[in-house]
């Protein structure tokens, strides 16, 4: 079927039905230059074939810049990306709090949006992903045992 003659909204709906739902966890804020060039650009490309959900940690000074936040929100909206920003804390205790909050938020996102793939960028998000995976191992193991 040639998609050139199908209206844009219909084409979008047809394509979206067959996409994977991906949670992309990053400790780099997408409001920072590094986050925009490496995270946002990458996920915009992934969003062409997948439904992307970004969980990022944003520095307060970046999040207080309304123009920067609006720009990131617009880029995410145009790409069909759902963005979940969390506040970033610099101290050791703050990092521990960030991890705990990220775990709970990731679990919430996983259940609400039925996430199929979790992509973690750097070590702290990998810890969240590892804990998220260990929470769901019994479900997957049980599913495999019942399948045989």
């Amino acid at each position: 079927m040639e998609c050139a003659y199908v209206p844009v909204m219909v084409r979008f709906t047809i394509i979206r039905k067959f996409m994977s739902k991906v949670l992309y966890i990053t400790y780099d804020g997408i409001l920072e230059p590094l986050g925009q060039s490496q995270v946002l650009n990458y996920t915009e490309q992934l969003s062409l074939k997948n439904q992307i959900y970004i969980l990022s940690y944003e520095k307060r000074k970046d999040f207080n810049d309304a123009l920067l936040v609006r720009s990131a929100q617009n880029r995410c909206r145009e790409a069909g990306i759902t963005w979940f920003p969390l506040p970033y804390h610099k101290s050791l205790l703050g990092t521990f709090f960030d991890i705990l909050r990220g775990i709970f938020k990731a679990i919430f996102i996983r259940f609400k949006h039925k996430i199929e793939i979790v992509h973690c960028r750097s070590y702290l998000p990998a810890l969240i992903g590892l804990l998220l995976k260990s929470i769901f191992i019994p479900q997957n193991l049980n599913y495999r045992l019942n399948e045989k």
Side-chain angles (χ1 to χ4, degrees):
M1 177 176 144
E2 180 63 39
C3 286
Y5 301 106
V6 178
V8 174
M9 289 307 291
V10 173
R11 209 174 346 148
F12 183 79
T13 304
I14 291 169
I15 293 171
R16 287 281 182 205
K17 286 184 178 179
F18 302 105
M19 296 183 166
S20 294
K21 293 184 176 185
V22 179
L23 174 59
Y24 189 103
I25 306 173
T26 177
Y27 207 57
D28 299 315
I30 65 170
L31 299 176
E32 297 177 351
L34 180 71
Q36 289 181 14
S37 66
Q38 293 186 7
V39 175
L40 202 48
N41 283 342
Y42 177 67
T43 54
E44 283 173 330
Q45 293 302 311
L46 285 176
S47 72
L48 297 174
K49 296 184 179 181
N50 301 285
Q51 178 61 49
I52 304 295
Y53 300 87
I54 298 176
L55 176 61
S56 67
Y57 292 86
E58 305 298 334
K59 293 180 179 170
R60 185 175 312 236
K61 70 174 180 66
D62 293 332
F63 207 71
N64 289 337
D65 185 346
L67 185 62
L68 191 60
V69 172
R70 198 173 314 115
S71 172
Q73 288 172 334
N74 289 338
R75 281 183 69 180
C76 288
R77 189 178 317 107
E78 288 171 8
I81 295 170
T82 305
W83 176 37
F84 297 94
L86 292 177
Y88 166 82
H89 301 93
K90 192 171 185 173
S91 68
L92 183 61
L93 185 60
T95 301
F96 178 73
F97 178 72
D98 287 348
I99 293 169
L100 285 178
R101 192 166 182 188
I103 291 167
F104 289 117
K105 189 67 172 183
I107 290 170
F108 169 78
I109 295 167
R110 194 273 185 223
F111 280 113
K112 183 177 180 188
H113 300 285
K114 297 178 174 66
I115 299 297
E116 300 161 326
I117 299 169
V118 177
H119 179 100
C120 303
R121 184 179 197 281
S122 81
Y123 295 111
L124 290 177
L127 179 60
I128 294 169
L130 182 64
L131 292 172
L132 189 64
K133 179 183 175 192
S134 68
I135 291 169
F136 301 113
I137 284 176
Q139 270 186 336
N140 294 340
L141 188 59
N142 187 25
Y143 178 76
R144 288 186 190 138
L145 290 174
N146 289 338
E147 199 174 53
K148 291 182 181 179

